[in-house]
Amino acid sequence: MEKITSTWYAIAGSYLEIQCSTEFDLGRLLPSFADFKLGDDAVVKGHPITQVIVTKQAFGRSSKDAKLLSDISIVWGNRFKFFELPDVFVTTVAGTSKQETWFMESEKDFSKSTIYWIDDKEISGELLSWMIMVTFAQSAVFHNTILVHASVIERDGKGYAFLGKSGTGKSTHSRMWQASIHGAELLNDDNPAVKIESDGSVKIYGTPWSGKTPCYRNMVVDLQALVRLKQAPINQMEWKSGQQAFLTLLPSCSAIRWNQEIFANMADIVQNISTEIPVGELSCLPNGEAAKLCLSEIENIK
């Protein structure tokens, strides 16, 4: 009989549980999760917000009533598809050879997902991590938490998140902070988590997902500002309020738009965050002066 292990992780103040056969070496497949793994003697208070089962069994669902919701992915290109069946969502990514396909079947609230593994040494760990991120990001919105596409600097227990499309210069701006501002350190470079805590405060957390930059810090700090970057020949900050603040933050949030309940929860979180935390747009050059201006503007508005 196949022996199943259960491994728990603490991410952004919530729990993630992964169940799989002992033949899966999660330490090797998911090295970025190491700092988030709970030890055997850890005291777990509460249930996981999502449970992920990894199996080598074949995906057996019929595609008869499947509705294609998306076939666009920045990461996986045309190898990706996202379907809806009457009772579940199904995420698929074609393997390297495109002769076999990875499937992930998820409950509608993503509280439980099953990943149907295929042997593909080139992408196995990367794809497993990505699928876990997808299910965690959706389930998190039911727990006052959103994953945000951002680069984050932490300094003296405070966090500064820089938003923007890929190629905008988020990582470059973070490097300018590190080079120009004493005590500035990178917290996460791609997918930090922002959470509204039970006391109403807003925190930003490191996660196991940091894009191409190996920065996987299990750390939480007080969020000071969310700043969308815009390449420009000058350095200038414009603060947003009301609907403009909401619309500045919303595009950077990692949650599906095709489920009304998930989107509504995400929108509520974004609304609450954008009323509590300064949201701005920084027109900037890739230089230290932009970093110093950004910090000065944040300190003045706070």
Side-chain angles (χ1 to χ4, degrees), residues 74-96:
I74 295 174
V75 178
W76 303 109
N78 61 8
R79 293 158 61 182
F80 162 85
K81 287 183 173 58
F82 183 72
F83 297 94
E84 183 176 18
L85 289 170
D87 57 336
V88 295
F89 290 117
V90 177
T91 306
T92 72
V93 178
T96 304

Side-chain angles (χ1 to χ4, degrees), residues 18 54 69 72 105 124 145 152 160 202 227 242 257 272 278 295:
I18 301 178
V54 184
L69 299 180
I72 300 172
E105 177 185 283
S124 292
T145 306
V152 183
Y160 308 83
V202 181
V227 179
R257 272 62 169 169
N272 290 333
L295 176 59

Side-chain angles (χ1 to χ4, degrees), residues 17-52:
E17 181 189 10
I18 301 178
Q19 291 187 2
C20 61
S21 166
T22 53
E23 69 178 288
F24 289 102
D25 184 351
L26 291 182
R28 179 182 62 81
L29 290 167
L30 302 172
S32 66
F33 284 61
D35 199 35
F36 301 84
K37 183 177 179 294
L38 295 180
D40 295 336
D41 58 346
V43 177
V44 176
K45 298 179 180 179
H47 301 286
I49 65 170
T50 187
Q51 180 189 69
V52 178

Side-chain angles (χ1 to χ4, degrees), residues 66-224:
K67 177 183 178 182
L68 178 65
L69 299 180
S70 177
D71 57 0
I72 300 172
S73 169
I74 295 174
V75 178
W76 303 109
N78 61 8
R79 293 158 61 182
F80 162 85
K81 287 183 173 58
F82 183 72
F83 297 94
E84 183 176 18
L85 289 170
D87 57 336
V88 295
F89 290 117
V90 177
T91 306
T92 72
V93 178
T96 304
S97 67
K98 295 189 178 182
Q99 294 179 349
E100 293 185 283
T101 298
W102 286 66
F103 288 87
M104 180 171 72
E105 177 185 283
S106 305
E107 300 290 337
K108 287 296 180 75
D109 63 357
F110 286 85
S111 60
K112 182 178 180 180
S113 291
T114 301
I115 296 173
Y116 295 85
W117 170 283
I118 62 172
D119 287 315
D120 193 332
K121 293 181 180 179
E122 291 188 37
I123 63 169
S124 292
E126 179 185 2
L127 183 47
L128 180 61
S129 176
W130 180 83
M131 284 188 162
I132 294 169
M133 180 184 71
V134 168
T135 192
F136 183 87
Q138 315 318 311
S139 63
V141 301
F142 295 98
H143 302 272
N144 288 322
T145 306
I146 51 174
L147 289 192
V148 180
H149 185 46
S151 183
V152 183
I153 285 290
E154 62 89 6
R155 179 174 179 263
D156 298 330
K158 299 175 181 178
Y160 308 83
F162 311 122
L163 317 175
K165 295 180 180 179
S166 297
T168 302
K170 299 184 297 297
S171 298
T172 299
H173 190 69
S174 285
R175 287 197 297 271
M176 294 301 102
W177 274 63
Q178 290 176 273
S180 307
I181 298 173
H182 178 72
E185 300 289 344
L186 190 66
L187 175 62
N188 186 275
D189 204 34
D190 194 54
N191 276 285
V194 178
K195 184 175 184 179
I196 303 173
E197 305 288 352
S198 58
D199 63 359
S201 64
V202 181
K203 309 282 188 179
I204 191 162
Y205 291 76
T207 72
W209 307 289
S210 187
K212 296 179 181 178
T213 304
C215 184
Y216 313 110
R217 302 175 66 188
N218 189 1
M219 183 178 185
V220 55
V221 292
D222 294 319
L223 181 59
Q224 300 298 294

